[in-house]
Structure formats: structure tokens, C-alpha cells
């Protein structure tokens, strides 16, 4: 639909370099490399330079030049994405804009419960600044030590606390965005209620950089829970886990902060490959486990014990270990956070970041398991994830005696079978990670023409030249 | 920008009547009247007929005809709006589409925590259906006995539980929408996590009917709190109320469900004019009061007593009454809910539905009060509202000895002064009620050209003929 994009000329590159200065310019291959390779190694790109503006004005000036010249721009945060959205393509025509230097927390309003942070702030730093003010910024995920706010908003990141606090878009009060023509939209309001026209911040959140570059955000802070209680629970089936989830919601209401389902196979990988991890329930058969955590303003041990005691008595679960210390609670979480990484040493894996209505999780696991076994006998199922959100990382490791290449040759076939099943169950082919370049085909396969047409219309009117992250979310026609 | 709209011809009306049948057609003036008058009496409109489709297909067929003929459509829910969005203009050219007959709850998934309800469902019925399934649909506001789901989503309604559960848009998992060209977008997914492109549901939520007609929604249900505790608290200043809010958040975390600020003047009106209401603290001087409520899965009396005992001891509040029964708790809420209505018998009022960052509420009340006193000496300030959300209904009743007409002659002057102050404090000229026809001028006054330009671009691309609720949110150029 849009005009063809141009390769940046030396003259354009000079003009952009003049805007950001030497500190904001990297064209040395070694310095560029960490920006060009996605961390899983699935995507490697090329770019004439990594441009690192230090201010909103610099971003706007760069975008204005690129817009006039028809140059494609790819904004990047911490480069922790999983769908190829934040790395440039192999053509070398796309200019990478890293927001890493815009890492200032502009201010914290503890009484009002908000903070304004620039796009390049690392999530862990934002969490720490909130904690310093006696507040909680509740988004929490495995990559929090390197993921940056702009990328987290652009991908509407999830993590382990969505059940209680929602995903990133629910924590964004306002945004500052450089639009594809270089204009700056200052929507940095920090209001919990503001019904003045279309919810533009909700449009940019989750747009994966295709509608503009987020430069700063007003974030919501919540009360810091003074008490937490966690348990590791064993049970025989996904149905039993769903039953425990219903019990936990009824018993603890929304003091329930996390409910993570873990299968014995990926748990075994983690215990085998990650030093220092221990099995919280070495005598339990499982093969299903749940990490359950309550959080709130009052001691919660009794509430958790009551819930698990009743479930044990009624034969709803096999066994449970309640964390007796902060150290033990952290150990439970280290085990949970290690699951993804621990699949690597076991060879190639095919991962599905899918969601279904919570009540359909047992069906997803059983029917999905049969599908995979039919396509690749011996493949090792590694499902785990945020059961309370209906979000299971339905991962599959290769059979022990198969080569990575032979296994990965089935990738498309397996992914399609799993995504078809998810669609049948009313679910989503991308729960957390987004569409990026990896899943543009899924978007047109699983979403109606009406829906994709609406998205294209919005993209075309906000970015008529098509320079912002082309080919992400919506394929280029 | 868009082509001129047409008055519906007899032939077009016949075709639309054939779609909805006699049950879906009202053109008798008496039957139409409740649809044409806004309940406060500020707006009265005309329409050739009130069209009441019974199904999504009928809505789509009506919109298709109107779209081809260039006829303006105004969707209406329970007609409880306050900004003129849901009543047609006086020209008689706009066709009113009432969703009242689409009032089916399509299904409830108790285990999954969701429900699909049609646009015409009354909020109280949705709450009741959730309760029957042992769940809570947490949106709650004074008009819940007549407000309908489609209108509540289109205006992103707020109410008394936003502090704890967010506003309507936070409770919408998916939508079904008839687009301005008559196509149906089925986005009725019931997923807590779904990162597959732009958040279209967030665009239609709060669009006030200008982008399409919402016909059904997948709504989120939350655990039913088993325990509640409420108190009525007296204090000397808005600063003391802010201090109590900070204490309550620190002490009770997000077991704090509501924190409503009430000034003595509107409270006096309510006690005088509404039979059956009692003063919870007859001996307290005030003149500021707070209705505070905790809700959760455990008994909360001790937590509330602890909070208020400490505040009393430290002289942070004047007095407090903790509800000793469900009846007393309901009585507190009846007093709170009566505040708006009780202003009527005191003569004309000028109301401002504004929000500011929570920490700026004392400044809003003090500086706003001085502004009003300067413009209309003797005017009676009636501020109250959802302090925890930064949302104060900054209402003003006429001086005792002034005529309604003389007082209302100051309306524009007072509103502008208050809205200018709110803007200076980083706030919003419409916290809950929306823009409608009443505040289109405020939108262009207080929002940047970039922001309004983005909204216009979206409006023009989704509704190129401009038939959907023209002149609402964005003025017609």
C-alpha cells in the first residue's frame, strides 16, 4: 500500500549523526552486534548504524529526517523480544533506534502513586525506584534486569503478576510518543480517570513500534504488599491444578498474586542444568506442580495453610510445601524462572506462547500433547506458565535421540497444529510475546479480515509512509 | 471533512423498519419521549424514529442502509449519560438506535471468570448474573439500575470501585462491534492475555459511539469478596483526607475498595431532602467526611479499626463510625449515592466532573473554591467524589438568594475557570462522563493539536462518511 522505502544515503546518515552526536552513534560492528542479534539467536539483522538519541527532541529530529527521506526505522529497547520485532532485517536498509540512553526516571509521586520514566529505563531500575518511594511497580518477568520500559509497553509485556495487576497496558497512565512524521504527542497525564476522547495510549501500547516511538511513560504504582506467602504444590493432573485455582480464587480472592503451573519434565531439566536449584517436593510424584503466592497487607500464612490443608484433606492435591522463609520463597521462584533457560541444554525446542480461557487449559494440554506426539513421537512436552491468566508456554523439546535439525524441520507443522487447537478453544496464538515478524502469518490466519483490515487502516493513517517497524505485526504487501 | 449527511427519506425509513419489524420501531411521540430527553433535562432532541434492533444482524443491516444513504446514527443504551452523547440533536435528522432489546446474557463462565453480555443488558442484571455464579462484576455506580453495558463501555464508565478494579475498559476482555460500514467485527475473545496486534477493544471503549455500535462484550468477573468493612470518618480539611488516604493505602493495600470524599454542604442537602437518610456522625464538626470501605476474603473489621484507631490517636482525624451491620453499611452508601440528586431541590447547579493527580486534590478544592467565590459570591460549593481516583465532582449550587437563571448565566465563565485550574494541575476536564456534545470545545482547548489530530485521523479512517454520532467527542467541521 505504501510507497517503497529507501536505503539511507550517506548524506541522510550524516544528518542523523549530526542530530545525536558521537555518543548517540554506533557503527562499529562489534558495538552494534548486541543490538543486531536477538538473544535466542533466531534473528540476526544488519543496519547502517545504531542510533541512540538522548532526548525526546533528538528522537523527533531523527524521525523527521527519516520520514522525509522514506527510511525505515526500528525502535529497540532491551532487545529481549522473542518475535523479531526489535532487530532490523537482513537487508541493512532499516535504521535501528535504540532508546537505551533515554534512561532517566523523570519523577516519582509517592502520594499520588505514579512515576514518569523514560523509554530506556530498565524494568529492575523502575521497580527499585518505586520501592524506594514505598510503592510497588508490579510488572515482573524473567528479563527484568535488561528489558526496558518502552519495549515493555510496545509489546504489552505480561509476566508473573498479571493475574493480580494486569499486564503492562494496565499500568500505563500516560505516554509521550514521537509519531511517524516526527511530531511529538505529549500524553504524559498521570490520571486514573480521564475520559477525553479515544484511548490513544492504549493504541500505542502493544503496537510493537509500528505506530511511533514511545519516549516516556507515566506509570502507575500500587501499594507495596507487606506480607507474602508462597507454596509449592504437587498434583496428578492439569484438571487438579484447575480445581486448585478455583479453590484459591474463592478462598483468597485477589490476595492471590501468582498461580504458576509447572510440568515435571521442564522442572527436571531445570534441576539438572541450573546449579543451586533444589526440588521443593522431592518425594512427590506429580507430575504437575503449582507455585502459588499470596500477597497483601496482613500476614497470609494462615490463609494459605487453610486453603492447602482443606485441599489435602479432600484429596484434591498430593502434597504441598509452604515457604518457611524469604530464602525458601525465592528458591521456589528461581526454579520457576529457570524453566525457560533450562530447555536449552536439552537441545532444540519449539515454543508456543499461547493463551486460552482458563477453564480450557486442561483441554489444551491433553489435546495439544496428543497432537505433538502424533507429529513427533518421543518429543518431550514442557508446558508451564501463568495458569491464572490462561497463558501456558506450551513448549516442546526434541526427542532425546533426534537431531536439532530434524526436529526443527517440524516447526511449522507443530506450530500450526497447536495454534489451530488454540483457536478452536477460543484462544490466542500470542499471549505475551506479540506478533513481531514471527507471527504475521498467524495474524491473517487466525484473525478475521475485518479485524486485520481495521488494523491496516489505523497503521496506514498514522504512518502513511510506512517507515515505522515495517513488516512487524502487519506483513508488508 | 466528511460529506454532508442526509435527512432519512420515507423510503429509507421503510427499509429500516422492514429490518427491525414492528417490535423494533417506535415513532409514537409518547413512546419516543424517554429516549429523546436526557435525564437532567439539559438536552432534548428529535428523531424520525427510535429503532430497536433485536440482534447483531439487525444492527448490521440498519447500519448498512444508513451508511449507503449517508444517514447519521446515534446509538443509545440506558440514556443515563450526562454530556448529550446519546440523544439526537434538535434537527430531527439523526436516527436513534436503541440497544435496549439486545439484553441477553449469552453465557457465564464461572470457572474462567468471564461473561458475554449483549449491549442492552442493564448493569444491575449483569451484577446479579455474576453473583449467581459466585462472582463479582465490580463496576458499580448510582445509575446501575438503568445504565446498559454498551453505553457503559462506550463512555468507559467509572463509579465507586475504580480504585480497586479499574474503570469499565479494564473489565472488557472482548467486544462485538458493528462498524460504520455495516461490517461486524467479532472480537468476543475472553482472554486475559492476547497480544495479537492493536488493542481494538480499547479504541471502541470510550469512543462514545463515534466509531461503531457495540453489540456485545466479554466481561471479566472477579472473586466475590466475602467480607466488607466500612466507616464514615470526619476530618477538618481536604489535606487531612489526603493524609488518611495515604494511611489507608499503606495499611490496607488494595483491600481498600472505596475512598469517597464528602463535603458537609452536599451532605447537609442530602440529609435535608432525602427521606430516610441519617447522619452517621451527628456530633462531628467536619466539614469533611470520608466513606472508606475495605473488601476481601477475610474479616476486615480489625484492620479497619487499627487504621482508624491509629489515625484518631495521632489526631489525624476528628471522629469515625464503623458500620456495625450490613444495614448500617448500606446506609452510609445511600447517603453517598444521594449527594448528586440532593442538589436538585436547592436550585440550579454547575457541575464539573474533573480529575487531578490524587496529591493535587487539596489544591483543586481550595483554589477552585476561591475562584468560584470570586465569580459568584455566596455560591455554595458541593465537592464530593472518588478521592482515591483523583476524581472530584466539583459541583456548585446557586447562592440561596439568586435565581437559577442569573446563576446559570455564569455557567461558561465558571466552567472555564475551573477547567483552566484543573489543566494547570495536570488534570482532566472530564474524568468519568466523557466529552459528548457538551465538552467538544474543551477537547480542543485543553488537548494539543497533535492529540486531537490523531483522534480525527482515526475517526475519519474508521467512519469516512461520518455517520456515527456526528459532533460527539470531535466537533463537526
Amino acid at each position: 500500500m505504501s510507497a517503497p522505502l529507501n536505503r539511507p544515503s550517506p548524506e541522510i546518515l550524516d544528518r542523523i549523526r549530526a542530530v545525536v552526536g558521537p555518543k548517540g552513534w554506533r557503527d562499529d560492528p562489534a558495538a552494534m552486534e548486541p543490538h543486531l542479534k536477538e538473544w535466542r539467536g533466531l534473528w540476526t539483522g544488519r543496519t547502517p548504524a545504531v542510533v541512540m538519541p538522548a532526548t525526546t527532541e533528538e528522537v523527533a529530529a531523527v524521525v523527521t529526517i527519516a520520514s522525509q527521506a522514506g527510511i525505515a526505522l526500528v525502535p529497540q529497547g532491551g532487545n529481549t523480544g522473542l518475535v523479531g520485532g526489535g532487530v532490523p532485517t537482513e537487508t541493512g536498509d532499516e535504521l535501528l533506534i535504540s532508546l537505551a540512553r533515554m534512561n532517566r526516571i523523570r519523577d516519582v509521586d509517592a502520594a499520588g502513586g505514579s512515576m514518569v520514566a523514560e523509554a530506556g529505563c530498565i524494568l529492575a531500575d523502575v521497580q527499585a525506584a518505586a520501592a524506594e518511594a514505598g510503592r510497588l511497580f508490579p510488572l515482573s518477568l524473567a528479563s527484568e534486569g535488561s528489558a526496558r520500559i518502552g519495549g515493555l509497553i510496545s509489546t504489552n509485556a505480561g509476566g508473573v503478576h498479571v493475574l493480580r495487576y494486569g499486564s503492562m497496558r494496565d499500568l500505563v497512565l500516560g505516554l509521550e510518543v514521537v509519531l511517524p512524521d516526527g511530531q511529538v504527542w505529549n500524553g504524559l497525564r498521570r490520571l486514573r480517570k480521564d475520559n477525553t476522547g479515544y484511548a490513544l495510549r492504549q493504541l500505542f501500547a502493544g503496537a510493537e513500534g509500528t505506530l511511533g516511538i514511545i519516549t516516556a511513560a507515566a506509570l502507575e504504582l500500587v501499594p507495596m504488599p507487606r506480607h507474602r506467602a508462597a507454596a509449592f504444590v504437587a498434583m496428578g493432573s492439569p484438571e487438579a491444578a484447575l480445581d486448585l485455582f478455583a479453590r484459591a480464587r474463592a478462598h483468597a480472592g485477589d490476595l492471590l498474586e501468582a498461580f504458576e503451573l509447572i510440568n515435571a519434565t521442564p522442572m527436571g531439566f531445570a534441576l539438572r542444568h541450573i546449579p543451586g536449584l533444589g526440588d521443593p517436593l522431592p518425594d512427590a510424584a506429580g507430575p504437575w506442580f503449582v507455585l502459588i503466592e499470596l500477597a497483601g497487607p496482613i500476614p497470609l500464612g494462615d490463609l494459605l495453610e487453610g486453603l492447602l490443608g482443606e485441599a489435602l484433606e479432600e484429596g484434591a492435591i498430593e502434597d504441598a510445601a509452604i515457604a518457611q522463609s524469604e530464602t525458601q520463597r525465592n528458591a521456589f521462584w528461581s526454579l520457576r524462572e529457570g524453566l525457560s533457560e533450562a530447555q536449552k541444554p536439552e537441545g532444540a525446542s519449539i515454543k508456543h506462547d499461547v493463551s486460552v480461557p482458563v477453564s480450557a487449559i486442561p483441554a489444551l494440554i491433553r489435546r495439544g500433547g496428543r497432537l505433538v506426539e502424533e507429529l513427533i513421537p518421543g518429543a518431550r512436552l514442557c508446558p508451564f506458565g501463568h495458569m491464572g491468566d490462561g497463558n501456558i508456554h506450551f513448549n516442546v523439546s526434541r526427542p532425546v535421540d533426534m537431531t536439532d535439525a530434524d526436529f526443527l524441520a517440524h516447526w511449522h507443522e507443530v506450530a500450526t497444529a497447536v495454534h489451530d487447537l488454540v483457536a478452536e478453544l477460543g484462544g490466542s496464538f500470542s499471549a505475551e510475546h506479540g506478533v513481531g515478524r514471527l507471527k504475521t502469518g498467524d495474524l491473517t490466519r487466525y484473525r478475521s479480515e475485518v479485524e486485520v483490515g481495521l488494523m491496516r487502516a489505523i497503521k496506514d493513517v498514522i504512518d502513511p509512509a510506512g517507515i515505522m517497524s515495517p513488516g512487524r505485526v502487519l506483513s508488508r504487501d
Side-chain angles (χ1 to χ4, degrees), chain A:
Chain A
M1 309 249 309
S2 26
L5 296 168
N6 300 313
R7 166 170 285 238
S9 66
E11 184 242 328
I12 291 290
L13 292 175
D14 282 348
R15 285 177 57 200
I16 289 175
R17 185 177 183 153
V19 168
V20 295
K23 278 194 185 163
W25 189 264
R26 287 190 187 168
D27 53 11
D28 169 52
M32 290 202 293
E33 209 225 330
H35 296 278
L36 296 177
K37 213 173 157 164
E38 212 186 29
W39 68 274
R40 275 198 300 184
L42 270 180
W43 311 83
T44 306
R46 294 199 302 126
T47 189
V50 174
V51 182
M52 306 182 80
T55 64
T56 304
E57 293 68 32
E58 287 184 10
V59 176
V62 170
V63 174
T64 302
I65 295 169
S67 164
Q68 287 160 359
I71 308 295
L73 299 177
V74 177
Q76 184 183 84
N79 194 17
T80 60
L82 291 159
V83 288
V87 288
T89 59
E90 296 72 16
T91 65
D93 290 354
E94 297 179 346
L95 208 53
L96 197 157
I97 311 289
S98 165
L99 280 298
R101 286 177 71 217
M102 288 193 64
N103 60 357
R104 213 160 44 91
I105 290 174
R106 293 192 189 160
D107 75 89
V108 180
D109 175 3
S114 68
M115 170 197 292
V116 174
E118 291 184 344
C121 291
I122 289 176
L123 176 53
D125 296 337
V126 165
Q127 292 167 339
E132 209 172 298
R135 293 294 191 133
L136 175 73
F137 183 68
L139 196 82
S140 177
L141 34 74
S143 61
E144 61 198 24
S146 41
R148 296 177 192 268
I149 290 298
L152 291 161
I153 296 172
S154 291
T155 57
N156 183 34
V160 295
H161 289 160
V162 173
L163 176 62
R164 177 60 199 83
Y165 297 106
S167 55
M168 190 69 184
R169 70 166 69 256
D170 301 304
L171 302 167
V172 172
L173 299 171
L175 286 181
E176 179 186 85
V177 180
V178 175
L179 302 178
D181 61 1
Q183 289 194 90
V184 178
W185 170 50
N186 183 338
L188 278 180
R189 298 189 283 277
R190 35 174 87 203
L191 302 169
R192 275 191 69 93
K193 281 186 178 171
D194 177 28
N195 278 343
T196 54
Y198 308 153
L200 298 177
R201 70 181 192 285
Q202 296 289 354
L203 193 57
F204 292 104
E208 304 187 35
T210 61
L211 299 178
I213 301 181
I214 294 170
T215 47
L219 303 173
E220 184 169 358
L221 307 180
V222 302
M224 178 73 81
R226 287 198 306 274
H227 300 274
R228 283 206 165 88
F232 209 87
V233 190
M235 61 213 70
S237 67
E239 286 80 5
L242 182 63
D243 171 69
L244 181 65
F245 178 65
R247 288 168 180 266
R249 287 278 270 181
H251 193 87
D254 34 35
L255 297 174
L256 181 63
E257 193 181 42
F259 194 96
E260 300 284 306
L261 181 69
I262 304 171
N263 175 263
T265 304
M267 188 163 124
F269 292 173
L271 293 170
R272 189 179 314 157
H273 298 296
I274 302 180
L277 292 183
D279 187 344
L281 292 169
D283 300 327
W288 293 92
F289 300 88
V290 162
L291 170 48
I292 179 174
E293 182 162 280
L294 310 186
I298 44 173
L300 295 159
D302 289 353
L303 197 68
L304 186 55
E305 260 181 59
L307 164 68
L308 297 174
E310 197 182 285
L312 260 178
E313 209 165 287
E314 296 175 13
I317 57 175
E318 180 196 355
D319 201 0
I322 295 184
Q324 299 300 318
S325 66
E326 194 63 9
T327 310
Q328 202 182 354
R329 193 175 71 79
N330 288 336
F332 290 175
W333 277 108
S334 299
L335 179 56
R336 165 64 187 86
E337 296 293 4
L339 297 176
S340 188
E341 184 193 331
Q343 278 190 264
K344 263 193 184 175
E346 293 287 332
S349 59
I350 300 175
K351 301 189 172 188
H352 308 90
D353 165 46
V354 295
S355 64
V356 293
V358 179
S359 40
I361 283 182
L364 169 68
I365 289 174
R366 292 198 184 280
R367 293 178 56 189
R370 284 198 295 269
L371 284 174
V372 172
E373 178 62 25
E374 274 164 32
L375 293 171
I376 315 178
R380 292 167 297 169
L381 295 172
C382 296
F384 63 90
H386 320 295
M387 180 153 189
D389 310 321
N391 173 202
I392 295 296
H393 299 295
F394 193 80
N395 296 353
V396 185
S397 281
R398 66 156 167 74
V400 177
D401 52 2
M402 189 182 263
T403 66
D404 283 2
D406 283 353
F407 176 71
L408 289 174
H410 291 280
W411 183 84
H412 185 73
E413 188 187 11
V414 172
T416 304
V418 170
H419 290 168
D420 282 356
L421 170 63
V422 164
E424 188 195 325
L425 296 171
S428 169
F429 61 87
S430 181
E432 290 196 321
H433 301 162
V435 178
R437 282 191 280 158
L438 183 65
K439 295 187 174 178
T440 54
D442 293 296
L443 190 76
T444 45
R445 181 180 175 94
Y446 298 109
R447 295 294 176 248
S448 65
E449 274 179 46
V450 173
E451 184 162 335
V452 177
L454 274 171
M455 292 186 198
R456 272 198 197 281
I458 291 167
K459 165 74 175 174
D460 288 345
V461 76
I462 295 184
D463 180 20
I467 63 165
M468 287 305 315
S469 296
R472 280 76 172 173
V473 182
L474 299 160
S475 58
R476 293 209 78 199
D477 285 347

